[in-house]
Structure formats: C-alpha cells, structure tokens
Amino acid sequence: MRIVLLGAPGAGKGTQCKRLVSQYSLAHLSSGDILRQERAQGTDLGRQAQSYMDSGALVPDDLIIGMMKKAIDQTPKAGYVLDGFPRTLKQALELDKVLVAGGSPIDAVINLEVDDAIIADRMSGRRSCPACGAVYHIRNLKPQKDGVCDKDGTALIQRPDDDLEVVKKRLETYRQQTQPLIGYYQKQGVLHEVDANAGADAVDSVIREVLDKLIVRRRPVARARR
Ligand code: AP5
C-alpha cells in the first residue's frame, strides 16, 4: 500500500505514521524528518532548507521534489506512507507523474482534520528526541522520565519551529499551499477524511478501519486475476 497522510502542522501525522509502519509493515517517509537529518549532518540541502524551516515557510519545491524522489526510489514499491509530502500542488503533480510512470499510484490519502485550538495545544506540548526523532507530549504522551527519551536516554527538546509565532506562520502556509490538495485528491477518489481531534488510539483505529476496508476490497480483484 502507498499512502499519503495529509493534515495541518501538529495534526498528528508523524504519530499516526509511526503506528501504521508497524501495523502494516510500511516504510515511513517523512519530508520533515529527512530535512532535519540533512540539517543535523550539515549537508548543502540542510543548509538551504534551514531559513525556510525556521521561519515556517515551505522549502522550495525543486529541493523537496528531488529529495523525496530519491527517498521513494530507495524504498520498496510495495509499501510506504508519505508524511509531510506532497505539500503543494506542484509536488502532488510530480509525485503522481513518478508513481504512475512506475505503475504504482497512491492507494489512499488520509486527511487528519483537527481543530485549531487542539493543534495549538499539541504543538506547544510536543517534545522531540533530537537523536532518534521520537515524539512525546508533556500531557498526552509523556516519556517515562520527564524530559528524557524512553528509547535512548537523550534529553528531549522543543522543536525551534514550535515557537508560537512560527506555528502561526506554519498554519497560514498550510492553509494557502497545502489545503488545496484535499480537493485535488478528492477528485481522484482516493481521499479519506478522518476526524483526528480524539486521542491517538481512537484516531489510529479509525485509520485502520479505512485501510482494512481498502485491503478487503482489493482481495477479490486479486483472486479474479489469478
Ligand atoms: P514537518 O516536520 O513535516 O512538520 P509539520 O507538517 O508541520 O508537522 P509536524 O511534524 O509539526 O506535526 P505532525 O502532524 O507530524 O504531528 P505529531 O505527530 O508530531 O515539517 C517541518 C518543516 O519542514 C516545514 O515547516 C517546512 O519548512 C519543511 N517541509 C517539510 N516537508 C516539506 C514539503 N513537502 N515541502 C516544503 N517544505 C517542507 O504530533 C504533534 C504533537 O501532538 C505531539 O506531541 C504528539 O504526541 C501529540 N499528538 C499527536 N496525535 C495526538 C492525538 N491524537 N491526541 C493527543 N495528542 C496527540
């Protein structure tokens, strides 16, 4: 299965992707995580992306498209979930071109719908591990020991782009440049809207329901072809 998770900053894309990866044996391709790795490694791409990310703007399409094409090329066609990509119409068109040419189009786009007040709470309470990328929340998903990553003991940080002013800009950027993708994927008949205001377990089970139905729907087709 090839899945795209859409949603505003802080909607819970990364949280849900991590769950899907283990439940459905998918690879997790997060454009934000890849960019943060590039920055940590001090690569040219990381340096070019830095000012855009810190201000809450999008990194230019050409840089992102090249980066994500490379990541998709290195991932088995059979299954992955895209988190944070595509984020503009140009990125979506390029993604379609690449996947259709390879005979492996997107199966489902899940749009996580979350109210603004909840987004603000999720972003302000998020804490991340700079070493392994694990994500926590000071109330909703606490680490076992305050401020310390359960997985590797690293001190947790608040992402610089979770600063209130930057969050406002990220939400504005999302509305202007990413929200139009909802209509784009609706027209393709692959969009599934999920109310993601509830806790992570509840959201997870709604997403699984959507994906399990898709899997079941495909089975008779596969048998008929044999
Ligand atoms: P990126 O890292 O992709 O940021 P984002 O899309 O803004 O999403 P976030 O990572 O902030 O949130 P999320 O939806 O994954 O939420 P999470 O699961 O962490 O991008 C960063 C920057 O990189 C961009 O601003 C841009 O500059 C650049 N960039 C990236 N991709 C790009 C692209 N394609 N084109 C151009 N530029 C690009 O959850 C948030 C918090 O809420 C956590 O604390 C979590 O524990 C908690 N939480 C999650 N779900 C729930 C729930 N259901 N109930 C309660 N708490 C929850």
Side-chain angles (χ1 to χ4, degrees):
M1 259 192 308
R2 288 162 300 277
I3 302 164
V4 170
L5 238 69
L6 278 184
K13 301 181 294 298
T15 301
Q16 295 301 329
C17 281
K18 287 186 179 101
R19 289 164 175 243
L20 292 180
V21 163
S22 59
Q23 289 158 355
Y24 294 92
S25 307
L26 301 169
H28 179 193
L29 302 181
S30 157
S31 49
D33 285 351
I34 299 174
L35 287 168
R36 281 183 284 279
Q37 276 163 22
E38 296 280 344
R39 284 180 65 168
Q41 289 162 7
T43 64
D44 275 353
L45 173 58
R47 275 193 292 274
Q48 290 178 74
Q50 188 162 337
S51 61
Y52 299 101
M53 294 173 79
D54 289 348
S55 68
L58 292 184
V59 175
D61 280 335
D62 292 346
L63 292 178
I64 292 290
I65 290 167
M67 177 186 94
M68 292 309 287
K69 273 186 184 169
K70 191 171 150 201
I72 290 170
D73 269 358
Q74 291 168 348
T75 306
K77 272 189 198 174
Y80 50 81
V81 50
L82 292 170
D83 166 6
F85 176 84
R87 227 182 257 232
T88 63
L89 201 52
K90 184 171 176 191
Q91 292 178 18
L93 289 166
E94 276 300 317
L95 176 67
D96 278 353
K97 231 193 271 174
V98 169
L99 297 188
V100 169
S104 51
I106 288 294
D107 295 297
V109 175
I110 311 269
N111 183 42
L112 300 181
E113 277 287 347
V114 183
D115 298 344
D116 281 3
I118 292 185
I119 293 232
D121 174 69
R122 288 187 188 171
M123 304 282 262
S124 61
R126 172 166 53 190
R127 298 293 181 271
S128 312
C129 174
C132 73
V135 174
Y136 302 87
H137 190 278
I138 53 171
R139 284 177 300 279
N140 308 333
L141 186 64
K142 289 177 169 184
Q144 282 159 16
K145 189 175 166 204
D146 267 357
V148 177
C149 179
D150 292 345
K151 295 184 181 155
D152 54 26
T154 305
L156 300 177
I157 57 156
Q158 198 165 8
R159 262 172 50 178
D161 60 347
D162 281 349
D163 167 84
L164 190 62
E165 284 311 306
V166 183
V167 168
K168 278 189 198 155
K169 170 74 183 160
R170 286 166 67 196
L171 282 170
E172 199 184 300
T173 304
Y174 165 77
R175 291 206 178 93
Q176 285 170 359
Q177 301 193 56
T178 309
Q179 227 166 18
L181 294 187
I182 296 173
Y184 174 80
Y185 285 119
Q186 216 157 23
K187 279 192 197 136
Q188 291 192 7
V190 291
L191 186 83
H192 302 266
E193 296 276 10
V194 168
D195 178 346
N197 287 298
D201 289 344
V203 176
D204 177 21
S205 52
V206 177
I207 296 176
R208 268 190 290 136
E209 232 173 83
V210 170
L211 296 182
D212 289 347
K213 272 190 200 151
L214 275 182
I215 292 169
V216 169
R217 233 186 282 156
R218 284 164 147 206
R219 275 192 196 132
V221 176
R223 270 204 294 275
R225 276 190 192 143
R226 261 188 241 137

